[in-house]
């Protein structure tokens, strides 16, 4: 690698574990790379962590004088499922050590004010996240989650912060395919009353992207105490909470804040709902008919 390449973008955060891992992988694969792959790898290894987070495959292809296809191929040769996974690893230290307002200022500075650049970056990150989510979502885990929901007396959904949108969305759609579901939208003092309604035969779907807040810890404890099953939809917590949940489903969060935090969580919920409808189409159709009838009586 040429350590003098792109000196203006050389990272000042040399202890970023994601960048360190990237450089180690480049060194390990260097001899097996083509000239174009080396050009991409050299650029990536000398890029700042911030630049890696906000650059699309097309941006990196142009700046390394290759192509977006070469960037994607090179990243996969380095052992990542795609550019999004690399960004997830690089972003981890920023999420825990950089204040939200500082990250916002960095994002604004990197994107600039032009509509085309901003639009391209948002759509690129969304595509990358969706592709990563599809690749890391375990079919076996999805099947287990579906079985738990289908056999539950009632499903409860809960989301942390913006993930509450995904929790409310899942509750609405599960009800519409015939699976009794309630969205827990309380926290703090009021949450205790909601948790009284959880029973042994129930399932709780918790959307918690990156950290265990008090409410999540208490919900998990309540589930253990009454014997209810828990399905976790998360990014960083699937391993640390594996002994406290029945099933963990991966939903990669945004490394930059460009796309909605709940984007992949909503899609994971959609996979569950559509799979359940496919397994029990009669129930889904009957429930849909009842919903339509009720709407008609209400004048809609």
């Amino acid at each position: 690698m040429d350590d003098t390449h792109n000196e203006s973008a050389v990272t000042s955060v040399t202890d970023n574990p994601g960048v360190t891992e990237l450089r180690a992988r480049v060194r390990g694969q260097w001899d097996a790379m083509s000239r174009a792959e080396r050009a991409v790898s050299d650029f990536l290894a000398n890029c700042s962590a911030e630049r890696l987070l906000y650059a699309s495959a097309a941006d990196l292809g142009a700046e390394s004088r290759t192509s977006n296809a070469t960037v994607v191929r090179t990243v996969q040769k380095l052992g990542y499922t795609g550019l999004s996974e690399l960004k997830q690893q690089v972003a981890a230290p920023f999420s825990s050590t950089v204040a939200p307002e500082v990250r916002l200022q960095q994002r604004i500075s990197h994107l600039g004010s032009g509509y085309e650049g901003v639009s391209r970056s948002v759509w690129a990150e969304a595509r990358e996240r969706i592709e990563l989510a599809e690749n890391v979502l375990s079919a076996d885990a999805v099947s287990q989650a579906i079985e738990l929901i289908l056999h539950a007396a009632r499903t409860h959904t809960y989301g942390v912060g913006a993930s509450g949108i995904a929790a409310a969305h899942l509750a609405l759609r599960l009800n519409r395919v015939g699976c009794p579901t309630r969205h827990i939208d309380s926290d703090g003092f009021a949450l205790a009353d909601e948790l009284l309604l959880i029973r042994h035969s129930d399932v709780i779907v918790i959307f918690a992207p990156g950290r265990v807040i008090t409410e999540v810890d208490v919900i998990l404890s309540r589930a253990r105490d009454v014997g209810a099953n828990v399905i976790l939809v998360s990014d960083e917590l699937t391993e640390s909470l594996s002994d406290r949940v029945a099933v963990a489903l991966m939903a990669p969060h945004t490394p930059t804040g460009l796309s909605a935090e709940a984007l992949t969580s909503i899609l994971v919920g959609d996979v569950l709902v559509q799979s359940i409808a496919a397994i029990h189409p009669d129930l889904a159709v009957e429930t849909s008919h009842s919903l339509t009838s009720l709407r008609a009586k209400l004048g809609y």
Side-chain angles (χ1 to χ4, degrees):
M1 293 184 297
D2 179 6
D3 291 334
T4 64
H5 178 71
N6 197 32
E7 291 182 359
S8 64
V10 172
T11 180
S12 59
V13 188
T14 56
D15 58 349
N16 182 296
V19 173
T20 301
E21 172 65 18
L22 168 64
R23 291 171 176 171
R25 294 190 188 194
V26 168
R27 286 193 295 269
Q29 292 289 330
W30 188 259
D31 292 341
M33 290 182 177
S34 66
R35 178 181 295 181
E37 290 168 344
R38 287 184 177 184
V40 172
S41 295
D42 186 43
F43 185 84
L44 293 177
N46 288 283
C47 232
S48 69
E50 294 87 351
R51 180 57 183 150
L52 283 175
L53 287 181
Y54 294 102
S56 66
D59 294 333
L60 295 172
E63 293 182 47
S64 62
R65 297 182 180 180
T66 57
S67 67
N68 58 342
T70 303
V71 170
V72 173
R73 184 175 67 248
T74 303
V75 168
Q76 292 175 338
K77 190 165 189 174
L78 291 172
Y80 301 99
T81 58
L83 187 58
S84 185
E85 183 184 7
L86 169 58
K87 289 183 178 183
Q88 297 284 337
Q89 294 189 15
V90 171
F94 291 91
S95 300
S96 58
T97 62
V98 181
E101 62 270 20
V102 175
R103 295 201 301 272
L104 175 59
Q105 183 58 56
Q106 290 175 341
R107 182 162 72 242
I108 294 172
S109 298
H110 280 277
L111 290 179
S113 58
Y115 164 77
E116 290 186 1
V118 172
S119 177
R120 184 170 60 250
S121 295
V122 172
W123 287 113
E125 181 183 287
R127 282 192 296 270
E128 291 166 4
R129 285 180 65 198
I130 291 171
E131 289 174 2
L132 177 59
E134 183 179 9
N135 289 332
V136 299
L137 188 61
S138 164
D140 288 342
V142 169
S143 295
Q144 293 174 41
I146 290 169
E147 285 300 312
L148 290 176
I149 293 172
L150 285 174
H151 290 93
R154 184 175 297 274
T155 298
H156 310 261
T157 66
Y158 179 81
V160 176
S163 293
I165 298 171
H169 176 77
L170 178 60
L172 178 69
R173 300 207 68 190
L174 282 176
N175 276 316
R176 288 180 175 179
V177 295
C179 295
T181 307
R182 59 187 290 270
H183 173 224
I184 301 174
D185 59 359
S186 300
D187 54 18
F189 185 84
L191 180 61
D193 292 281
E194 300 274 12
L195 299 186
L196 285 175
L197 301 176
I198 296 174
R199 299 288 186 265
H200 171 77
S201 55
D202 293 348
V203 166
I204 312 169
V205 184
I206 299 177
F207 293 83
R211 63 191 180 97
V212 181
I213 62 173
T214 300
E215 283 81 359
V216 169
D217 185 59
V218 172
I219 292 172
L220 290 170
S221 296
R222 172 63 176 173
R224 179 200 60 209
D225 292 343
V226 301
N229 286 307
V230 175
I231 299 169
L232 174 68
V233 182
S234 181
D235 184 339
E236 300 174 17
L237 302 178
T238 53
E239 291 187 10
S240 61
L241 294 180
S242 61
D243 60 338
R244 302 182 69 183
V245 303
V247 183
L249 303 174
M250 278 288 293
H253 63 56
T254 169
T256 63
L258 291 178
S259 52
E261 180 181 306
L263 174 63
T264 53
S265 294
I266 289 174
L267 293 175
V268 168
D270 287 340
V271 169
L272 295 176
V273 170
Q274 297 303 330
S275 297
I276 289 171
I279 292 171
H280 291 292
D282 292 343
L283 177 60
V285 171
E286 179 184 348
T287 304
S288 178
H289 175 72
S290 298
L291 181 62
T292 301
S293 297
L294 289 169
R295 287 172 174 167
K297 291 177 181 179
L298 291 167
Y300 294 99

